[in-house]
Amino acid sequence: PAPAGLLGEPEPEEAVSDDSSRHGGRVRGFPHERGNWATHVYLPYIAQEEFLELLELLVSRARSYVPSLAAMEEFHLSLSQCVVLRYHWIEPFVRSLRERLAAFHRFFCVADQVKVYTNQNKTRTFIGLEVSAGHFQLLELVSEVDGVLEEFDLPTFYKNPSFHISLAWCVGDLSGRLEGQCLRELQDIVDGFEDSAFLLRIQWEQIRCKSGNKYFSFPLR
């Protein structure tokens, strides 16, 4: 569906707060400005009970190295950076995405390699599961999403991306504590988890775009 208010109605108000204490100390990647809508294209992952059991084991072990780690509440694999769309761009942006992604079929990938990441300005650290199979199909999707971003003169995705599903995060650059021995222990947990080969072989069925508080879905064929 198109965002409410696009067809000639006034632009809706967005509730805005830059108080980082209200969301775990996270800092905006860019300042909020009225009419700017933070936008992100991604593959959603709906966690099953077994995945949440694995997550609990991983976070519990990692907290012995970084006690402030928090488990993610929702899971996804990014196909774009978080970019800024002007309000009146949302409808044509979504329409262009829908056209470019219409031909893609469902596919599998394997996300079973534990890796530590930081965001670009080093204000947050993440533990994620990196994709070890299915990279080519993901690159094809990113190529189409990048094409849409270029139409709107927006930043494209990272070169040589490390596709991953983030599992947990903390404020600050604490990658040094999580890499090395901690990372090896986390990988051992993943490798030894019952049915992990089946659990971490993921079929992607849809692509989503989130713009502000609006969600758009693009089913894969």
Side-chain angles (χ1 to χ4, degrees):
L6 271 183
L7 303 178
E9 298 177 18
E11 181 181 318
E13 293 284 351
E14 284 187 275
V16 177
S17 173
D18 283 327
D19 181 0
S20 64
S21 66
R22 296 181 62 183
H23 37 81
R26 287 173 288 180
V27 179
R28 284 183 180 273
F30 41 81
H32 176 81
E33 189 176 314
R34 180 175 166 79
N36 284 351
W37 289 57
T39 302
H40 177 221
V41 183
Y42 60 96
L43 292 160
Y45 175 63
I46 308 303
Q48 305 299 317
E49 183 177 352
E50 294 87 349
F51 183 86
L52 296 176
E53 291 173 3
L54 174 59
L55 175 69
E56 184 176 352
L57 290 173
L58 293 170
V59 172
S60 178
R61 179 66 60 87
R63 280 180 179 153
S64 65
Y65 293 86
V66 176
S68 61
L69 271 173
M72 304 294 290
E73 296 180 357
E74 296 181 348
F75 306 93
H76 67 268
L77 188 149
S78 292
L79 299 174
S80 79
Q81 300 187 58
C82 187
V83 298
V84 177
L85 271 183
R86 298 297 294 173
Y87 179 74
H88 58 277
W89 290 350
I90 296 174
E91 185 178 32
F93 183 87
V94 170
R95 184 169 59 244
S96 186
L97 272 179
R98 195 174 301 282
E99 290 171 356
R100 282 181 172 265
L101 299 173
F104 280 89
H105 292 262
R106 299 179 182 186
F107 67 97
F108 286 94
C109 77
V110 178
D112 60 358
Q113 300 301 303
V114 186
K115 193 167 180 179
V116 176
Y117 299 89
T118 57
N119 61 353
Q120 284 184 301
N121 53 7
K122 305 291 186 181
T123 59
R124 280 186 282 168
T125 304
F126 299 85
I127 295 173
L129 286 174
E130 186 182 31
V131 167
S132 61
H135 198 81
F136 177 75
Q137 292 94 328
L138 293 170
L139 285 175
E140 286 189 317
L141 285 177
V142 165
S143 177
E144 295 301 329
V145 174
D146 278 353
V148 178
L149 293 166
E150 288 171 345
E151 290 176 27
F152 291 83
D153 198 26
L154 294 170
T156 56
F157 205 42
Y158 309 106
K159 291 185 178 180
N160 303 314
S162 172
F163 294 109
H164 65 279
I165 299 170
S166 291
L167 303 176
W169 67 279
C170 62
V171 173
D173 182 1
L174 299 182
S175 55
R177 296 192 203 175
L178 293 169
E179 291 170 343
Q181 180 62 29
C182 176
L183 195 59
R184 288 190 289 271
E185 292 178 12
L186 297 180
Q187 189 64 58
D188 286 344
I189 290 173
V190 170
D191 294 343
F193 192 76
E194 185 177 3
D195 294 330
S196 65
F198 172 78
L199 175 63
L200 301 178
R201 184 175 183 262
I202 301 164
Q203 182 179 38
W204 302 111
E205 299 184 350
Q206 63 172 305
I207 300 164
R208 282 188 190 157
C209 174
K210 180 179 185 292
S211 188
N213 57 3
K214 311 292 183 185
Y215 289 85
F216 306 89
S217 180
F218 313 94
L220 296 171
R221 296 171 62 184

